Amino acid sequence: MFHRILIANRGEIALRILRACKDLGIESVAVYSEADKDSLHLRYADETICIGPAASSESYLNIPRLIAAAEIGDVEAIHPGYGFLSENEHFAEVCHSCNIKFIGPSATAIAQCGDKVAAKRLAKEAGVPCVPGSDGPVENEQDALAVAHRIGFPVLIKAASGGGGRGMRVAHNDPSLVTGYHSARSEAEKAFKDSTVYIEKYIEKPRHVEIQIMADQHGNVVHLGERDCSLQRRHQKLVEESPCPVLDEATRLAMGEAAIRLAKMANYTSAGTVEFLLDKDKNFYFIEINSRIQVEHPVTESVTETDLIREMILVAAGEKLSFRQEDIRMRGHAMEFRINAEDPDQNFKPCPGTIKTFVAPAGPGVRWDSHIYQGYTVPPHYDSMVGKLIIHRPTRKQCIEVARRALQELTTDGITTTAGLFLRILEHSDFAAGQVDTGFIDRYFAPR
Ligand code: ADP
């Protein structure tokens, strides 16, 4: 087992990884930017190393500085968390060549998942249903039009290296396809330094349902059920739950098996997520694989009684998975609410600032994963998520009741958050009935 791990991240996930290390008796080295010197997890780490100024490119995304910190800290492994370098195959490779274990999949698997066109090809090979679309990149306007006419409008133009909903455009006709094609390409070029785009049929009012997988280095792959992440704003998740309120056992089984086939095909190890869209007739279509731990992993941890970060560390050290497929049972219902320092009434404008009064929610079935505390200043340089409220109760109805109470208890005076929006969503009859799709929030709570 490892003795010392470097945590190459910040915020709540850095604290989450640190906790898993402590529980396993592993020492941790925390890195931080100058803007994060008051980060909570630094107080609990065995060693802390400043890796540069606030800008991510100078700190959390700077590979030479992270490797230097790993050498100074004398660690055997690095956990990348999510975001930043977690899906950067080059970083995984550099770690490997420096004899530091990257806690995640191999560089080859990351590369294959990171290229959505390649991942889709692999999914087809594995017999996993995919959204109809272009078989590969679309090179010009004529190609784009030909694909759209073949599969029929509406279509979605997507970036091959995309993430976070960027580089995506819906088109309903020829003119909007041509405009969307060019704007998606330039957005993708700016965001990912890769202008490659492809086209998919735009599925109307789908649910986003994803399967959590976990794989060790001995060929064992297990799936841990699904998460429904249909509550999104502009293709960015805000609320996730498990189980999916409308999924029947047969479809769940088929999706789980599809995810495992794909993971085996990719020689996948560590934690990963296979994302699907579910249409109104309960057909599911693969959209992408995320080769990292995800923000919403606690929802799965709650219903399956597992610790996915701990499991990632153990399998990275060469151990076998601590559970078999038949050990995984989903119990009760879990929901996660992403508490972002944003003002929903001002077009979700980020609201960094100092938290004057802070009270964390608690009580039966309440988990609060967050790095904030009273007096903490949310820096303006990074993602606006300041905490995750996770509720786990025997039924979905009780989950909603406890969520309402916990959201009311949460006090973060000094910054505006998405908590108020969630209270309004909980009152909506469609949400209570579990009848939502990926456009639900944009339609009722965040019209453009
Ligand atoms: P990203 O990596 O940028 O998050 P994804 O491929 O995971 O992109 O898609 C993000 C979201 O975009 C999905 O959850 C869904 O809401 C929407 N989406 C993606 N593909 C389609 C599609 N073919 N039809 C309808 N919506 C889609």
Side-chain angles (χ1 to χ4, degrees):
M1 186 39 58
F2 307 122
H3 298 286
R4 235 167 132 80
I5 289 177
L6 181 135
I7 303 164
N9 215 300
R10 63 177 300 283
E12 74 83 21
I13 193 64
L15 185 56
R16 170 71 187 88
I17 297 164
L18 185 141
R19 285 175 171 150
C21 290
K22 279 231 182 309
D23 295 344
L24 282 163
I26 297 171
E27 290 180 8
S28 55
V29 175
V31 296
Y32 63 100
S33 74
E34 284 162 14
D36 275 338
K37 63 177 181 3
D38 297 322
S39 257
L40 187 56
H41 77 291
L42 301 180
R43 300 188 198 175
Y44 308 129
D46 294 285
E47 187 174 347
T48 63
I49 300 174
C50 181
I51 49 166
S56 306
S57 57
E58 301 284 306
S59 50
Y60 301 108
L61 286 173
N62 191 300
I63 297 177
R65 288 187 187 172
L66 282 162
I67 296 295
E71 272 159 10
I72 292 163
D74 196 20
V75 302
E76 299 137 281
I78 296 184
H79 198 306
Y82 51 68
F84 296 124
L85 294 170
S86 59
E87 290 170 288
N88 185 308
E89 75 242 35
H90 176 59
F91 182 54
E93 231 164 54
V94 172
C95 288
H96 185 70
S97 59
C98 295
N99 230 347
I100 300 165
K101 183 72 193 171
F102 176 84
I103 303 178
S106 67
T108 320
I110 295 175
Q112 206 152 29
C113 301
D115 178 347
K116 294 189 185 192
V117 172
K120 237 179 130 168
R121 276 203 195 109
L122 201 68
K124 273 196 188 148
E125 249 176 82
V128 176
C130 294
V131 186
S134 57
D135 290 313
V138 175
E139 310 288 358
N140 52 49
E141 280 177 20
Q142 282 69 38
D143 273 7
L145 287 164
V147 174
H149 295 162
R150 175 166 59 80
I151 60 176
F153 286 107
V155 299
L156 189 64
I157 307 146
K158 300 174 78 170
S161 304
R166 280 179 297 175
M168 230 189 267
R169 293 287 184 281
V170 187
H172 292 272
N173 48 43
D174 287 6
S176 66
L177 177 65
V178 170
T179 326
Y181 173 73
H182 291 292
S183 60
R185 278 179 75 95
S186 65
E187 192 173 307
E189 176 63 39
K190 252 184 240 146
F192 314 111
K193 296 194 179 73
D194 173 13
S195 64
T196 313
V197 296
Y198 61 108
I199 290 181
E200 270 179 3
K201 177 86 187 161
Y202 182 68
I203 311 278
E204 307 259 18
K205 298 193 170 181
R207 297 182 82 109
H208 173 118
V209 181
E210 58 186 33
I211 301 287
Q212 175 72 52
I213 54 162
M214 194 74 219
D216 64 21
Q217 300 179 49
H218 307 275
N220 301 303
V221 188
V222 167
H223 79 84
L224 294 100
E226 80 281 9
R227 289 184 291 259
D228 186 321
C229 313
S230 301
L231 262 67
Q232 311 180 342
R233 175 182 170 259
R234 300 189 185 172
H235 307 309
Q236 290 264 48
K237 299 164 188 167
L238 279 172
V239 180
E240 302 93 352
E241 63 180 300
S242 184
C244 163
V246 300
L247 206 64
D248 55 74
E249 204 45 49
T251 315
R252 171 174 299 122
L253 196 71
M255 290 177 84
E257 283 173 355
I260 290 180
R261 279 202 305 279
L262 183 50
K264 287 195 168 157
M265 194 84 137
N267 282 323
Y268 199 91
T269 52
S270 191
T273 299
V274 183
E275 298 191 332
F276 298 96
L277 294 179
L278 188 71
D279 71 13
K280 34 187 187 318
D281 302 319
K282 310 274 162 71
N283 300 304
F284 62 88
Y285 306 94
F286 167 81
I287 48 171
E288 68 162 334
I289 319 177
N290 287 317
S291 56
R292 57 161 195 274
I293 190 72
Q294 289 198 230
V295 173
E296 59 271 27
H297 75 274
V299 162
T300 299
E301 291 184 330
S302 300
V303 293
T304 58
E305 286 186 322
T306 52
D307 182 335
L308 294 175
I309 305 281
R310 177 189 180 97
E311 205 66 28
M312 282 179 91
I313 296 172
L314 295 177
V315 301
E319 291 200 9
K320 286 191 174 155
L321 282 180
S322 71
F323 40 73
R324 292 159 304 174
Q325 190 63 56
E326 55 269 34
D327 299 326
I328 302 299
R329 294 265 177 281
M330 291 167 80
R331 287 183 51 241
H333 201 95
M335 284 183 184
E336 175 185 273
F337 299 85
R338 297 192 188 192
I339 309 298
N340 296 342
E342 292 170 359
D343 187 349
D345 294 329
Q346 288 197 58
N347 205 20
F348 293 80
K349 186 183 79 167
C351 299
T354 300
I355 300 166
K356 295 191 193 73
T357 314
F358 172 68
V359 183
V366 177
R367 168 171 166 184
W368 173 244
D369 276 22
S370 168
H371 58 291
I372 64 171
Y373 53 88
Q374 189 152 310
Y376 174 72
T377 300
V378 179
H381 316 279
Y382 311 105
D383 184 272
S384 60
M385 194 175 76
V386 294
K388 309 188 302 203
L389 174 65
I390 304 108
I391 312 291
H392 183 213
R393 292 281 75 199
T395 63
R396 187 170 189 271
K397 186 167 172 288
Q398 287 174 48
C399 215
I400 291 176
E401 288 160 4
V402 174
R404 183 181 301 125
R405 193 260 301 155
L407 284 163
Q408 283 164 350
E409 276 181 22
L410 172 66
T411 308
T412 56
D413 290 349
I415 59 164
T416 305
T417 74
T418 43
L421 167 73
F422 298 140
L423 281 168
R424 284 187 276 140
I425 289 175
L426 290 178
E427 299 304 320
H428 199 287
S429 57
D430 289 352
F431 178 76
Q435 293 304 330
V436 296
D437 61 77
T438 57
F440 177 78
I441 290 187
D442 291 329
R443 203 151 52 237
Y444 298 117
F445 297 95
R448 287 185 195 223

